[in-house]
């Protein structure tokens, strides 16, 4: 009983996601057998609500708790939970969305292995949009980026258009997080 909103997560034991879409895994013919793994829409809705509630509760506690919870949920392997957490963090003003147009020289920034902006090119899109060194990219075009799915890999497979939406935890929020963590360590 498939329903609208159910998500295919695997085809013939191969993971299906935005970086590895179903159409790239195996062209299906009418006489071929295929085994689909499905996550029901109702389960996805529960996961989304859990992610939103976790970010909201952590946000009420402190910025550092919220950022810590966000990064934990971004690494969660359940379908959709990471992007649900990013959207909840955006609603809580912990994450901002920056839309950049790709030029022949790229977006005007370099990103390190931790998905942190390490360099901004003067006069380019990234600088004009207000991005700063040490801002952390947590998603790109509704695809979560983390250590397991780094930005550079995501850019290589996901961005074919000239416009991309970057979801950012700003350096200012991360600085508050570090200051709160240091104060907590000093008290403890």
């Amino acid at each position: 009983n498939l329903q609208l909103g159910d998500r295919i997560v695997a085809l013939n034991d191969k993971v299906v996601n935005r970086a590895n879409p179903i159409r790239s895994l195996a062209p299906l013919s009418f006489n071929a057998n295929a085994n689909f793994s499905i996550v029901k829409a109702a389960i996805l809705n529960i996961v989304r609500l859990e992610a939103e509630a976790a970010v909201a509760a952590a946000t009420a506690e402190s910025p550092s708790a919220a950022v810590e919870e966000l990064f934990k949920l971004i690494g969660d392997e359940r379908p959709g939970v990471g992007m649900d957490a990013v959207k909840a963090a955006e609603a809580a003003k912990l994450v901002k969305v920056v839309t950049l147009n790709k030029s022949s020289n790229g977006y005007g920034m370099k990103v390190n292995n931790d998905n942190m902006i390490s360099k901004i090119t003067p006069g380019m899109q990234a600088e004009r949009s207000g991005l700063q060194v040490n801002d952390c990219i947590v998603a790109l075009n509704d695809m979560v980026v983390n250590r397991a799915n780094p930005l550079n890999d995501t850019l290589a497979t996901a961005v074919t258009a000239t416009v991309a939406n970057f979801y950012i935890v700003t350096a200012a929020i991360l600085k508050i997080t570090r200051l709160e963590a240091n104060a907590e360590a000093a008290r403890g």
Side-chain angles (χ1 to χ4, degrees), residues 57-68:
T59 301
E61 185 180 327
S62 70
S64 62
V67 170
E68 184 178 317

Side-chain angles (χ1 to χ4, degrees), residues 40-62:
K40 300 298 287 174
I43 299 297
L44 292 170
N45 193 41
I46 291 168
V47 169
R48 178 184 59 78
L49 294 172
E50 286 176 353
E52 289 173 356
V55 171
T59 301
E61 185 180 327
S62 70

Side-chain angles (χ1 to χ4, degrees), residues 63-65 67 116 133-136 170-185:
S64 62
V67 170
M116 305 276 285
V133 169
N134 294 326
D135 284 352
C136 182
T170 66
I173 294 287
L174 293 172
K175 184 175 183 180
I176 291 169
T177 301
R178 281 192 301 276
L179 291 173
E180 283 186 356
N182 290 341
E184 185 67 30

Side-chain angles (χ1 to χ4, degrees), residues 156-176:
T157 59
V159 180
T160 56
T162 58
V163 178
N165 292 314
F166 292 85
Y167 293 79
I168 309 290
V169 175
T170 66
I173 294 287
L174 293 172
K175 184 175 183 180
I176 291 169

